[in-house]
Amino acid sequence: MIRPVFADLAGQERVISTLTAEVDRGNPTHAWLVTGPPGSGRTTAARAFAAALQCTQTPAGCGQCANCKMVMNSEHPDVSFVSTDKFEYQIADVRHLITRAQESAGTGRWRIIIIEDADRMSERSTNVLLKAIEEPPAKMIWILCAPSPADVLVTIRSRCRAVNLSVPAAQDVADLLVRRDGLEPEQAMFAARVSQSHIGVARLLARDEQARIQREKVVTLPLRTTTLPQAMAAAAEISKLASERAENITGTDLQNKIAQLRHANGLGLEENIPAGLRGQFKALEDDAKRFARRTAFDALDRTLTDLTTFFRDVLSIQLHADIELINEHLREKLERFAAAQSSEKSLAQLDAINETRSRLAANVNQLMALEALMTRLLPQPGRR
């Protein structure tokens, strides 16, 4: 039976078994690398593992004791959750982590540091972390999360025990959404399928009509893009959608943080900021700009992932693959599109999207990259 703290890990029974066995052993490995594709639940697994390690009940991982609740709510004083708003961690960030790692556990059994995006560490930053992982203080546990082992330097991953999460089945994700979020089974299954079993995205799509509308606009772009001017317009539309997604997140986040900083310093909402505090507010705005850049990149990457599903479905139809389409609700339109071009063209279109994602990650001009992509996604000449 799965213990309560692990209940939100959809379709990961093998990993849960490994982690609970380690908790029950009572002397866990001091460094872990939790990997898995986006949306598989890397941070969820790390959080559940930390909660079980700090749990005071038997069997550990009850989800009801004070320690479990504090860890699950990110409030436990001995469990630190670390992420970055930047494209990569700075050396100063890592040195701060190492200092925190030297602190003894207070109320919990272990001092635990969870690095949610270890793949964003540069080689120099990782090398600073290496000695701390090699020679940790007593009762200290590191948990690093990354998409794959290849995203972490070999010197780090060779010193960590690895657990790899798989892409959960759509049915497992749907069952989780029904059980945890109270969604209707049909609604949950649709969201799980079109998100490609990305739990966070599935939850957003199931609950947010605007998110579903935005995704539908992206996925159906190839049906509405048949000329060069339309391709240029589509590129601009993709860029705008990604920026709007990022702005919706970062704008609210910045305003909340400014309000909190004003409150902490006894300032009213309209009161002028004293000269001595302007540096703090400036630093907050600079962090928000970095966060906006990262959020915009992540939103754009997700948009291109959604676009990939269109051509993946087209290719599946052309190859007569006996699998359910991701965009099953568009089957009739997809079949017409598939009949109008070759499978070689569809494969080339998929390659073009993946190449563009790599170029954007390398910080090329966003609009130019998207315009080049949409040109390559135009229908095969003479076939439509």
Side-chain angles (χ1 to χ4, degrees):
M1 182 176 178
I2 294 177
R3 299 176 194 182
V5 295
F6 292 101
D8 286 352
L9 272 177
Q12 307 295 345
E13 287 77 9
R14 175 183 52 79
V15 169
I16 293 172
S17 177
T18 297
L19 297 179
T20 51
E22 192 73 5
V23 170
D24 294 343
R25 190 169 66 86
N27 184 28
T29 303
H30 72 279
W32 292 77
L33 178 59
V34 180
T35 60
S40 59
R42 297 187 301 263
T43 301
T44 301
R47 185 187 304 272
F49 185 35
L53 287 168
Q54 302 288 27
C55 183
T56 57
Q57 303 300 308
T58 303
C62 68
Q64 297 300 316
C65 70
N67 278 345
C68 277
K69 289 180 178 179
M70 284 192 291
V71 175
M72 299 305 282
N73 292 326
S74 303
E75 297 171 350
H76 198 290
D78 297 323
V79 180
S80 300
F81 294 88
V82 182
S83 60
T84 181
D85 293 341
K86 307 166 189 172
F87 276 102
E88 63 178 36
Y89 286 93
Q90 306 300 308
I91 290 179
D93 300 329
V94 178
R95 284 179 177 152
H96 179 61
L97 283 182
I98 294 170
T99 299
R100 290 163 66 179
Q102 303 304 312
E103 300 170 1
S104 299
T107 61
R109 297 177 176 181
W110 307 92
R111 181 80 177 95
I112 303 173
I113 294 182
I114 299 171
I115 303 179
E116 299 182 33
D117 37 19
D119 54 305
R120 292 186 184 268
M121 283 195 177
S122 66
E123 184 173 352
R124 291 178 63 201
S125 299
T126 306
N127 287 334
V128 172
L129 184 64
L130 181 59
K131 185 172 177 60
I133 289 182
E134 279 184 322
E135 302 174 6
K139 299 294 183 178
M140 171 66 209
I141 297 175
W142 293 92
I143 306 177
L144 281 62
C145 303
S148 75
D151 292 313
V152 179
L153 285 184
V154 65
T155 50
I156 289 288
R157 66 175 184 260
S158 64
R159 289 161 175 79
C160 297
R161 181 170 175 185
V163 290
N164 182 49
L165 280 70
S166 57
V167 177
Q171 187 62 60
D172 289 332
V173 175
D175 290 344
L176 173 63
L177 295 176
V178 171
R179 183 179 70 252
R180 185 187 65 185
D181 301 305
L183 300 177
E184 293 297 322
E186 184 177 350
Q187 179 188 28
M189 191 62 202
F190 170 81
R193 187 179 69 250
V194 299
S195 69
Q196 300 177 81
S197 294
H198 188 301
I199 297 171
V201 173
R203 186 173 188 269
L204 175 66
L205 291 173
R207 297 166 66 95
D208 188 336
E209 183 181 6
Q210 188 58 37
R212 293 195 296 273
I213 292 172
Q214 284 186 325
R215 182 191 183 277
E216 199 71 2
K217 285 182 179 178
V218 170
V219 172
T220 56
L221 267 177
L223 299 173
R224 297 180 277 113
T225 308
T226 58
T227 66
L228 188 58
Q230 289 173 340
M232 298 299 101
E237 183 178 350
I238 291 175
S239 182
K240 181 183 177 183
L241 283 172
S243 297
E244 286 176 352
R245 287 180 179 179
E247 180 60 32
N248 289 340
I249 296 171
T250 56
T252 302
D253 183 72
L254 177 59
Q255 292 306 313
N256 289 339
K257 288 181 177 178
I258 288 176
Q260 290 169 7
L261 187 56
R262 280 183 169 274
H263 179 74
N265 287 280
L267 297 174
L269 292 178
E270 303 298 329
E271 191 174 348
N272 289 333
I273 300 169
L277 293 176
R278 287 172 189 165
Q280 294 184 45
F281 283 87
K282 178 65 166 56
L284 193 63
E285 291 174 358
D286 289 343
D287 285 344
K289 289 177 182 177
R290 285 191 288 268
F291 181 45
R293 286 195 294 271
R294 172 178 166 178
T295 304
F297 171 78
D298 290 344
L300 182 55
D301 191 65
R302 184 67 218 176
T303 297
L304 294 181
T305 298
D306 289 337
L307 187 59
T308 300
T309 67
F310 179 93
F311 294 101
R312 181 264 195 193
D313 283 345
V314 167
L315 189 61
S316 296
I317 291 169
Q318 291 171 328
L319 299 180
H320 307 289
D322 187 22
I323 57 175
E324 185 178 34
L325 301 182
I326 296 171
N327 302 289
E328 187 67 40
H329 62 295
L330 297 174
R331 176 177 281 276
E332 193 173 316
K333 295 176 180 179
L334 289 164
E335 287 177 342
R336 286 200 297 270
F337 191 97
Q341 69 177 29
S342 67
S343 58
E344 289 80 10
K345 173 66 174 177
S346 300
L347 189 58
Q349 289 165 326
L350 283 169
D351 287 341
I353 297 174
N354 289 328
E355 288 173 15
T356 302
R357 292 175 68 188
S358 298
R359 288 171 182 164
L360 289 169
N363 208 27
V364 302
N365 181 278
Q366 176 177 302
L367 186 57
M368 288 181 63
L370 291 175
E371 287 176 346
L373 169 64
M374 295 310 300
T375 301
R376 293 176 67 183
L377 297 186
L378 286 172
Q380 192 165 338
R383 295 292 296 269
R384 294 184 69 81

